[in-house]
Amino acid sequence: MSHNRYKIIPAKDRIVRSNAKMLYLSTAKYDGDWHSVPHAHTFAELFYVVGGVGQFRIESDFYSVSAGDLVIVNPNVEHTETSLDAQPLEYIVLGVKDLELSVKEGQDNRFCIARFKRKQAEILFYLRTMQREIEAEAPGYEIICQDLLDVLVIYLMRQTDFSAKLTPIPKQASQTCSVVRRYIDTHYKEDLSLEELAKIAHVSKYYLSHTFSKEYGISPMSYLSMRRIEESRELLATTDFPLTEIARFLGFSSGSYFSQSFRRQEGISPREYRSIHCSGQGNQ
């Protein structure tokens, strides 16, 4: 008799479960008399294409989709979908609260399309199970659906060709503030000003500063500094780059200003942080 036993050992890069909440699941299949119109939500939507061929319109841009594609649309992003008459688009959509797509610098921060061509059967099994549970409303169905949502998110994060992740959002915000925050999240290394951010949002800098602070409890420029400091913690702990180089890389005007900003947010200097979190490397 052969016997195999496998132990579960926590991985170094452990995926932490989010606080995302599944709001709904719905199914749709295009026919000739249905025309979707551009719309936006205060929560994220995850569309899984079951069959057919079509396009997703994200604001003014169009992207082709087909069976096995998972489309994630961020909160407050205008979108709609269209279908080819010869191959009607069929999909399952999940409304998900407190999750937002986070992408690397230079990528589109409004949405993303993950290709699951080799895992169609698995993904569809989880979604159909969710659908059956919601329809039956048996005791504990909401727990099962929530756990299956977490499974789908993990599959998404495992994609080797998918350089994005779903992260908790601090608060449901207006479209103007969401656009500016997402822009800062992906362009924080650049030399950004309040005037430039206001121009992106098509509002005055005074309106943006007031609205952003009211929504998030922090000004746009303070949020920019916070994002840079968050990234600097990783660089301090995992590299031996000099502080001046880290400051320049993250968009700080000088090494001294970086050190002042870091101490103000973290309560210690960058050198002290490095010595605590990066034993064995010399301070720069």
Side-chain angles (χ1 to χ4, degrees):
M1 180 185 74
S2 62
H3 177 74
N4 295 316
R5 181 181 183 184
Y6 303 95
K7 295 179 65 176
I8 297 179
I9 302 174
K12 181 182 293 185
D13 299 324
R14 188 165 176 259
I15 295 176
V16 180
R17 295 184 69 169
S18 69
N19 294 320
K21 297 293 185 295
M22 181 173 164
L23 300 176
Y24 61 80
L25 178 150
S26 63
T27 62
K29 184 173 183 178
Y30 261 79
D31 51 37
D33 61 352
W34 181 38
H35 301 283
S36 179
V37 296
H39 60 283
H41 307 284
T42 58
F43 48 84
E45 281 196 320
L46 280 65
F47 297 82
Y48 183 74
V49 181
V50 177
V53 177
Q55 287 185 319
F56 262 78
R57 175 181 171 184
I58 306 296
E59 295 177 343
S60 60
D61 301 317
F62 291 84
Y63 303 89
S64 297
V65 294
S66 59
D69 290 342
L70 178 65
V71 184
I72 306 99
V73 181
N74 267 339
N76 296 310
V77 173
E78 189 176 82
H79 62 281
T80 190
E81 61 282 348
T82 59
S83 176
L84 298 184
D85 292 338
Q87 302 179 63
L89 194 64
E90 181 180 0
Y91 59 81
I92 299 173
V93 58
L94 305 178
V96 183
K97 180 183 178 183
D98 294 335
L99 274 185
E100 183 172 62
L101 188 71
S102 176
V103 300
K104 291 185 177 180
E105 183 180 4
Q107 295 181 319
D108 198 323
N109 59 12
R110 301 169 299 171
F111 84 112
C112 195
I113 301 176
R115 314 288 182 181
F116 285 104
K117 304 302 184 184
R118 297 181 180 179
K119 289 186 175 291
Q120 291 185 59
E122 293 177 55
I123 301 299
L124 193 55
F125 169 77
Y126 294 132
L127 291 170
R128 293 298 189 199
T129 301
M130 286 183 184
Q131 183 180 350
R132 289 193 296 270
E133 288 290 330
I134 291 175
E135 290 173 348
E137 292 190 355
Y141 80 95
E142 68 279 9
I143 298 175
I144 292 176
C145 289
Q146 186 65 44
D147 286 346
L148 290 176
L149 172 64
D150 289 337
V151 171
L152 291 175
V153 171
I154 290 173
Y155 267 124
L156 180 66
M157 295 170 67
R158 284 179 176 176
Q159 284 285 85
T160 56
D161 59 343
F162 187 62
S163 55
K165 60 182 178 178
L166 291 173
T167 57
I169 58 177
K171 182 181 179 180
Q172 300 294 345
S174 68
Q175 185 169 2
T176 296
C177 293
S178 294
V179 166
V180 171
R181 181 172 56 82
R182 284 198 296 268
Y183 190 86
I184 293 174
D185 285 341
T186 54
H187 297 271
Y188 58 86
K189 296 176 185 177
E190 301 174 12
D191 183 18
L192 299 179
S193 65
L194 183 61
E195 289 80 3
E196 183 178 355
L197 294 174
K199 187 179 298 183
I200 291 168
H202 305 292
V203 296
S204 73
K205 63 179 183 181
Y206 306 105
Y207 177 83
L208 174 61
S209 182
H210 173 76
T211 305
F212 196 97
S213 299
K214 183 178 180 181
E215 293 281 1
Y216 297 121
I218 187 173
S219 71
M221 301 312 290
S222 294
Y223 181 78
L224 171 62
S225 178
M226 183 186 73
R227 287 291 291 112
R228 289 170 171 171
I229 295 300
E230 287 176 354
E231 182 68 15
S232 74
R233 293 201 302 262
E234 179 70 16
L235 293 174
L236 288 167
T238 60
T239 75
D240 58 358
F241 297 155
L243 299 187
T244 53
E245 186 172 340
I246 293 176
R248 179 186 57 79
F249 178 70
L250 294 178
F252 287 98
S253 58
S254 66
S256 60
Y257 180 61
F258 163 56
S259 295
Q260 293 172 12
S261 300
F262 192 96
R263 181 181 289 278
R264 186 163 53 246
Q265 181 170 319
E266 301 296 323
I268 58 176
S269 72
R271 296 179 188 277
E272 291 170 325
Y273 184 92
R274 171 169 275 171
S275 66
I276 294 171
H277 294 85
C278 193
S279 58
Q281 288 189 359
N283 293 344
Q284 300 297 320

